Short mmCIF file of all heavy atoms in Angstrom, two decimals:
data_model
loop_
_atom_site.label_atom_id
_atom_site.label_comp_id
_atom_site.label_asym_id
_atom_site.label_seq_id
_atom_site.Cartn_x
_atom_site.Cartn_y
_atom_site.Cartn_z
N ILE A 1 101.47 95.90 107.76
CA ILE A 1 101.98 95.49 106.40
C ILE A 1 100.87 95.98 105.43
O ILE A 1 99.76 95.50 105.51
CB ILE A 1 102.15 94.03 106.34
CG1 ILE A 1 103.02 93.53 107.49
CG2 ILE A 1 102.77 93.70 104.92
CD1 ILE A 1 103.07 92.07 107.69
N LEU A 2 101.28 96.78 104.45
CA LEU A 2 100.32 97.20 103.44
C LEU A 2 100.59 96.37 102.17
O LEU A 2 101.73 96.50 101.58
CB LEU A 2 100.51 98.71 103.17
CG LEU A 2 100.27 99.60 104.37
CD1 LEU A 2 100.53 101.13 104.01
CD2 LEU A 2 98.79 99.53 104.92
N SER A 3 99.60 95.62 101.82
CA SER A 3 99.77 94.79 100.62
C SER A 3 99.89 95.54 99.31
O SER A 3 100.59 95.05 98.44
CB SER A 3 98.54 93.74 100.56
OG SER A 3 97.36 94.42 100.22
N HIS A 4 99.25 96.68 99.32
CA HIS A 4 99.45 97.62 98.19
C HIS A 4 98.87 98.92 98.61
O HIS A 4 98.40 99.11 99.70
CB HIS A 4 98.90 97.04 96.86
CG HIS A 4 97.46 96.69 96.87
ND1 HIS A 4 96.92 95.72 97.53
CD2 HIS A 4 96.44 97.36 96.17
CE1 HIS A 4 95.68 95.71 97.31
NE2 HIS A 4 95.27 96.59 96.49
N SER A 5 98.87 99.89 97.67
CA SER A 5 98.53 101.28 98.05
C SER A 5 97.13 101.71 97.79
O SER A 5 96.78 102.91 98.02
CB SER A 5 99.52 102.25 97.27
OG SER A 5 99.32 102.01 95.87
N HIS A 6 96.23 100.87 97.30
CA HIS A 6 94.85 101.33 96.98
C HIS A 6 94.06 101.68 98.23
O HIS A 6 94.41 101.28 99.36
CB HIS A 6 94.20 100.18 96.27
CG HIS A 6 94.77 99.96 94.86
ND1 HIS A 6 94.44 98.85 94.11
CD2 HIS A 6 95.65 100.63 94.04
CE1 HIS A 6 95.14 98.93 92.99
NE2 HIS A 6 95.86 99.94 92.92
N PRO A 7 93.05 102.64 98.00
CA PRO A 7 92.46 103.27 99.15
C PRO A 7 91.79 102.32 100.22
O PRO A 7 91.92 102.57 101.44
CB PRO A 7 91.32 104.01 98.52
CG PRO A 7 91.82 104.25 97.14
CD PRO A 7 92.60 103.20 96.75
N ASP A 8 91.29 101.17 99.71
CA ASP A 8 90.61 100.25 100.69
C ASP A 8 91.61 99.49 101.57
O ASP A 8 91.22 98.68 102.44
CB ASP A 8 89.63 99.38 100.06
CG ASP A 8 90.17 98.62 98.86
OD1 ASP A 8 91.13 99.18 98.22
OD2 ASP A 8 89.69 97.57 98.50
N HIS A 9 92.89 99.67 101.30
CA HIS A 9 93.92 98.96 102.07
C HIS A 9 94.81 99.88 102.93
O HIS A 9 95.34 99.39 103.91
CB HIS A 9 94.85 98.21 101.04
CG HIS A 9 94.05 97.17 100.30
ND1 HIS A 9 94.11 95.82 100.63
CD2 HIS A 9 93.29 97.29 99.21
CE1 HIS A 9 93.38 95.15 99.78
NE2 HIS A 9 92.81 96.03 98.81
N ILE A 10 94.85 101.19 102.52
CA ILE A 10 95.66 102.10 103.33
C ILE A 10 94.83 103.15 104.06
O ILE A 10 95.36 104.06 104.66
CB ILE A 10 96.69 102.83 102.37
CG1 ILE A 10 95.99 103.81 101.39
CG2 ILE A 10 97.54 101.80 101.62
CD1 ILE A 10 96.97 104.75 100.76
N GLY A 11 93.54 103.10 103.95
CA GLY A 11 92.68 104.19 104.41
C GLY A 11 92.87 104.61 105.87
O GLY A 11 92.87 105.74 106.21
N SER A 12 93.04 103.56 106.75
CA SER A 12 93.24 103.89 108.23
C SER A 12 94.66 103.89 108.61
O SER A 12 94.94 103.98 109.80
CB SER A 12 92.47 102.94 109.04
OG SER A 12 91.04 103.20 108.98
N ALA A 13 95.60 103.76 107.66
CA ALA A 13 97.01 103.62 108.05
C ALA A 13 97.59 104.77 108.83
O ALA A 13 98.30 104.60 109.83
CB ALA A 13 97.91 103.36 106.76
N LYS A 14 97.17 105.97 108.37
CA LYS A 14 97.64 107.21 109.07
C LYS A 14 97.26 107.21 110.50
O LYS A 14 97.99 107.57 111.43
CB LYS A 14 97.18 108.47 108.32
CG LYS A 14 97.74 109.72 108.94
CD LYS A 14 97.23 110.90 108.12
CE LYS A 14 97.69 112.23 108.72
NZ LYS A 14 97.18 113.48 107.98
N LYS A 15 95.95 106.86 110.72
CA LYS A 15 95.40 106.90 112.09
C LYS A 15 96.07 105.82 112.96
O LYS A 15 96.49 106.11 114.15
CB LYS A 15 93.90 106.63 112.06
CG LYS A 15 93.25 106.43 113.38
CD LYS A 15 93.21 107.63 114.22
CE LYS A 15 92.41 107.41 115.54
NZ LYS A 15 92.60 108.52 116.49
N ILE A 16 96.22 104.61 112.37
CA ILE A 16 96.89 103.58 113.15
C ILE A 16 98.37 103.92 113.53
O ILE A 16 98.79 103.63 114.65
CB ILE A 16 96.77 102.26 112.41
CG1 ILE A 16 95.35 101.80 112.38
CG2 ILE A 16 97.60 101.05 113.09
CD1 ILE A 16 95.09 100.63 111.44
N LYS A 17 99.02 104.53 112.55
CA LYS A 17 100.33 104.91 112.85
C LYS A 17 100.44 105.97 114.00
O LYS A 17 101.28 105.90 114.82
CB LYS A 17 100.99 105.50 111.55
CG LYS A 17 102.36 106.15 111.68
CD LYS A 17 103.49 105.06 112.05
CE LYS A 17 104.84 105.76 112.12
NZ LYS A 17 105.93 104.79 112.39
N THR A 18 99.52 106.95 113.92
CA THR A 18 99.50 108.03 114.91
C THR A 18 99.25 107.36 116.28
O THR A 18 99.77 107.79 117.29
CB THR A 18 98.38 109.10 114.59
OG1 THR A 18 98.67 109.64 113.29
CG2 THR A 18 98.29 110.08 115.62
N ASP A 19 98.33 106.48 116.36
CA ASP A 19 97.89 105.87 117.70
C ASP A 19 98.95 104.92 118.21
O ASP A 19 99.09 104.88 119.45
CB ASP A 19 96.62 105.04 117.49
CG ASP A 19 95.38 106.03 117.24
OD1 ASP A 19 95.50 107.15 117.43
OD2 ASP A 19 94.32 105.42 116.87
N THR A 20 99.72 104.25 117.43
CA THR A 20 100.60 103.14 117.87
C THR A 20 102.02 103.33 117.55
O THR A 20 102.85 102.58 118.13
CB THR A 20 100.10 101.85 117.34
OG1 THR A 20 100.39 101.80 115.88
CG2 THR A 20 98.60 101.60 117.58
N ASP A 21 102.36 104.23 116.65
CA ASP A 21 103.78 104.33 116.15
C ASP A 21 104.29 103.03 115.65
O ASP A 21 105.50 102.79 115.81
CB ASP A 21 104.66 104.91 117.29
CG ASP A 21 105.99 105.43 116.72
OD1 ASP A 21 105.94 105.94 115.53
OD2 ASP A 21 107.05 105.39 117.41
N CYS A 22 103.43 102.23 115.05
CA CYS A 22 103.87 100.95 114.46
C CYS A 22 104.78 101.19 113.20
O CYS A 22 104.79 102.32 112.63
CB CYS A 22 102.62 100.13 114.11
SG CYS A 22 101.65 100.87 112.88
N CYS A 23 105.47 100.15 112.90
CA CYS A 23 106.30 100.17 111.64
C CYS A 23 105.48 99.99 110.39
O CYS A 23 104.87 98.87 110.33
CB CYS A 23 107.41 99.13 111.78
SG CYS A 23 108.53 99.03 110.38
N ILE A 24 105.40 100.83 109.50
CA ILE A 24 104.64 100.68 108.27
C ILE A 24 105.57 99.99 107.20
O ILE A 24 106.63 100.50 106.93
CB ILE A 24 104.19 102.11 107.72
CG1 ILE A 24 103.29 102.86 108.79
CG2 ILE A 24 103.41 101.87 106.46
CD1 ILE A 24 102.00 102.20 109.04
N MET A 25 105.03 98.86 106.72
CA MET A 25 105.87 98.10 105.82
C MET A 25 105.13 98.02 104.38
O MET A 25 103.90 97.86 104.43
CB MET A 25 106.12 96.71 106.24
CG MET A 25 106.73 96.54 107.64
SD MET A 25 106.98 94.77 108.05
CE MET A 25 107.78 94.98 109.73
N ALA A 26 105.89 98.11 103.29
CA ALA A 26 105.33 98.02 101.97
C ALA A 26 106.41 97.77 101.01
O ALA A 26 107.58 98.03 101.27
CB ALA A 26 104.52 99.26 101.63
N HIS A 27 106.01 97.34 99.78
CA HIS A 27 106.93 97.19 98.65
C HIS A 27 107.30 98.51 98.06
O HIS A 27 106.46 99.42 98.06
CB HIS A 27 106.28 96.23 97.59
CG HIS A 27 107.24 95.78 96.54
ND1 HIS A 27 107.46 96.53 95.48
CD2 HIS A 27 107.99 94.62 96.40
CE1 HIS A 27 108.28 95.89 94.68
NE2 HIS A 27 108.63 94.72 95.19
N VAL A 28 108.45 98.56 97.48
CA VAL A 28 108.89 99.92 96.93
C VAL A 28 107.98 100.37 95.76
O VAL A 28 107.85 101.51 95.61
CB VAL A 28 110.39 99.78 96.46
CG1 VAL A 28 110.54 98.83 95.30
CG2 VAL A 28 110.93 101.17 96.09
N GLY A 29 107.41 99.37 95.12
CA GLY A 29 106.53 99.73 94.01
C GLY A 29 105.27 100.48 94.46
O GLY A 29 104.58 101.14 93.62
N GLU A 30 104.95 100.47 95.77
CA GLU A 30 103.68 101.18 96.27
C GLU A 30 104.06 102.39 97.07
O GLU A 30 103.12 103.13 97.48
CB GLU A 30 102.91 100.20 97.12
CG GLU A 30 102.60 98.83 96.42
CD GLU A 30 101.69 99.12 95.26
OE1 GLU A 30 100.62 99.70 95.42
OE2 GLU A 30 102.01 98.53 94.17
N LYS A 31 105.31 102.56 97.31
CA LYS A 31 105.72 103.67 98.25
C LYS A 31 105.23 105.04 97.90
O LYS A 31 104.74 105.74 98.75
CB LYS A 31 107.29 103.58 98.36
CG LYS A 31 107.92 104.59 99.42
CD LYS A 31 109.39 104.38 99.42
CE LYS A 31 110.07 105.23 100.52
NZ LYS A 31 110.11 106.68 100.18
N LYS A 32 105.36 105.39 96.65
CA LYS A 32 105.03 106.86 96.25
C LYS A 32 103.58 107.17 96.57
O LYS A 32 103.24 108.24 96.95
CB LYS A 32 105.47 107.11 94.85
CG LYS A 32 104.66 106.28 93.81
CD LYS A 32 105.02 106.62 92.41
CE LYS A 32 104.11 105.84 91.37
NZ LYS A 32 104.45 106.26 89.95
N TRP A 33 102.67 106.16 96.36
CA TRP A 33 101.30 106.42 96.49
C TRP A 33 100.84 106.30 97.99
O TRP A 33 99.82 106.90 98.33
CB TRP A 33 100.40 105.49 95.64
CG TRP A 33 100.33 105.93 94.24
CD1 TRP A 33 100.89 107.07 93.63
CD2 TRP A 33 99.60 105.28 93.16
NE1 TRP A 33 100.50 107.14 92.35
CE2 TRP A 33 99.75 105.99 92.04
CE3 TRP A 33 98.85 104.07 93.15
CZ2 TRP A 33 99.13 105.62 90.81
CZ3 TRP A 33 98.23 103.74 91.93
CH2 TRP A 33 98.36 104.50 90.80
N ILE A 34 101.59 105.60 98.78
CA ILE A 34 101.26 105.57 100.24
C ILE A 34 101.74 106.88 100.92
O ILE A 34 101.02 107.43 101.72
CB ILE A 34 101.93 104.30 100.88
CG1 ILE A 34 101.43 103.00 100.29
CG2 ILE A 34 101.85 104.35 102.43
CD1 ILE A 34 102.15 101.82 100.70
N GLU A 35 102.84 107.30 100.41
CA GLU A 35 103.45 108.54 101.10
C GLU A 35 102.88 109.83 100.50
O GLU A 35 103.17 110.87 101.09
CB GLU A 35 105.03 108.45 100.98
CG GLU A 35 105.59 107.33 101.67
CD GLU A 35 107.22 107.36 101.76
OE1 GLU A 35 107.76 108.06 100.88
OE2 GLU A 35 107.71 106.68 102.62
N ASP A 36 102.22 109.75 99.42
CA ASP A 36 101.61 110.97 98.82
C ASP A 36 100.20 110.57 98.24
O ASP A 36 100.17 110.24 97.01
CB ASP A 36 102.49 111.47 97.71
CG ASP A 36 102.05 112.88 97.23
OD1 ASP A 36 100.90 113.23 97.48
OD2 ASP A 36 102.79 113.51 96.48
N THR A 37 99.21 110.53 99.10
CA THR A 37 97.89 110.12 98.65
C THR A 37 97.25 111.08 97.67
O THR A 37 96.49 110.65 96.83
CB THR A 37 96.98 109.91 99.87
OG1 THR A 37 96.95 111.06 100.66
CG2 THR A 37 97.46 108.75 100.71
N GLU A 38 97.68 112.32 97.68
CA GLU A 38 97.17 113.31 96.69
C GLU A 38 97.72 112.91 95.32
O GLU A 38 97.01 113.17 94.32
CB GLU A 38 97.59 114.70 97.05
CG GLU A 38 96.86 115.30 98.27
CD GLU A 38 95.30 115.15 98.11
OE1 GLU A 38 94.81 115.54 97.00
OE2 GLU A 38 94.61 114.72 99.00
N LYS A 39 98.94 112.48 95.21
CA LYS A 39 99.55 112.00 93.98
C LYS A 39 98.68 110.80 93.44
O LYS A 39 98.43 110.71 92.29
CB LYS A 39 101.02 111.64 94.15
CG LYS A 39 101.73 111.16 92.91
CD LYS A 39 103.21 110.84 93.15
CE LYS A 39 103.96 110.29 91.96
NZ LYS A 39 104.03 111.41 90.94
N GLN A 40 98.35 109.88 94.34
CA GLN A 40 97.55 108.73 93.90
C GLN A 40 96.15 109.17 93.48
O GLN A 40 95.67 108.68 92.39
CB GLN A 40 97.38 107.75 95.13
CG GLN A 40 96.51 106.55 94.65
CD GLN A 40 96.39 105.56 95.79
OE1 GLN A 40 95.66 104.53 95.56
NE2 GLN A 40 97.09 105.65 96.87
N ALA A 41 95.52 110.16 94.24
CA ALA A 41 94.22 110.59 93.79
C ALA A 41 94.23 111.24 92.44
O ALA A 41 93.23 111.16 91.66
CB ALA A 41 93.77 111.57 94.88
N SER A 42 95.35 111.93 92.14
CA SER A 42 95.48 112.55 90.77
C SER A 42 95.76 111.53 89.70
O SER A 42 95.22 111.62 88.61
CB SER A 42 96.65 113.51 90.82
OG SER A 42 96.82 114.08 89.61
N GLU A 43 96.64 110.55 89.97
CA GLU A 43 97.05 109.61 88.95
C GLU A 43 96.13 108.45 88.79
O GLU A 43 96.08 107.82 87.67
CB GLU A 43 98.51 109.06 89.20
CG GLU A 43 99.51 110.23 89.21
CD GLU A 43 100.93 109.72 89.53
OE1 GLU A 43 101.09 108.55 89.86
OE2 GLU A 43 101.90 110.50 89.35
N ARG A 44 95.40 108.17 89.82
CA ARG A 44 94.43 106.95 89.77
C ARG A 44 93.12 107.36 90.45
O ARG A 44 92.85 106.99 91.55
CB ARG A 44 95.04 105.74 90.43
CG ARG A 44 94.17 104.49 90.35
CD ARG A 44 94.85 103.30 91.05
NE ARG A 44 93.98 102.05 90.94
CZ ARG A 44 93.04 101.75 91.75
NH1 ARG A 44 92.77 102.54 92.83
NH2 ARG A 44 92.39 100.61 91.61
N PRO A 45 92.35 108.28 89.82
CA PRO A 45 91.14 108.72 90.42
C PRO A 45 90.13 107.66 90.76
O PRO A 45 89.87 106.85 89.94
CB PRO A 45 90.53 109.75 89.37
CG PRO A 45 91.63 110.00 88.40
CD PRO A 45 92.55 108.80 88.39
N VAL A 46 89.69 107.62 92.01
CA VAL A 46 88.68 106.64 92.44
C VAL A 46 87.49 107.47 93.04
O VAL A 46 87.78 108.41 93.85
CB VAL A 46 89.26 105.73 93.44
CG1 VAL A 46 88.19 104.86 94.04
CG2 VAL A 46 90.31 104.81 92.86
N PRO A 47 86.29 107.18 92.68
CA PRO A 47 85.15 107.88 93.33
C PRO A 47 85.17 107.82 94.78
O PRO A 47 85.37 106.81 95.41
CB PRO A 47 83.86 107.17 92.72
CG PRO A 47 84.38 106.55 91.48
CD PRO A 47 85.83 106.16 91.69
N GLY A 48 85.12 109.02 95.46
CA GLY A 48 85.04 109.11 96.93
C GLY A 48 86.41 108.85 97.55
O GLY A 48 86.54 108.54 98.70
#
């Protein structure tokens, strides 16, 4: 369950999904930035 899409909450999600094939859950308001991290990096730049 991803509480929201910011980097410190979704950082390992891809790895965990690959390892376990778990169900990724999130609110629709966060979906676009979870599914397109480059879009998030562009629209909400965070150092590192």
Side-chain angles (χ1 to χ4, degrees):
I1 308 165
L2 299 175
S3 64
H4 60 291
S5 59
H6 292 166
D8 51 334
H9 298 262
I10 70 165
S12 286
K14 181 178 180 180
K15 173 64 174 173
I16 294 171
K17 174 67 174 181
T18 299
D19 289 346
T20 69
D21 196 31
C22 62
C23 178
I24 305 293
M25 302 181 180
H27 189 276
V28 65
E30 305 297 307
K31 184 175 185 288
K32 65 177 182 179
W33 277 1
I34 294 170
E35 296 189 339
D36 189 348
T37 53
E38 289 304 314
K39 181 178 180 66
Q40 178 177 178
S42 173
E43 296 180 353
R44 186 181 180 271
V46 172

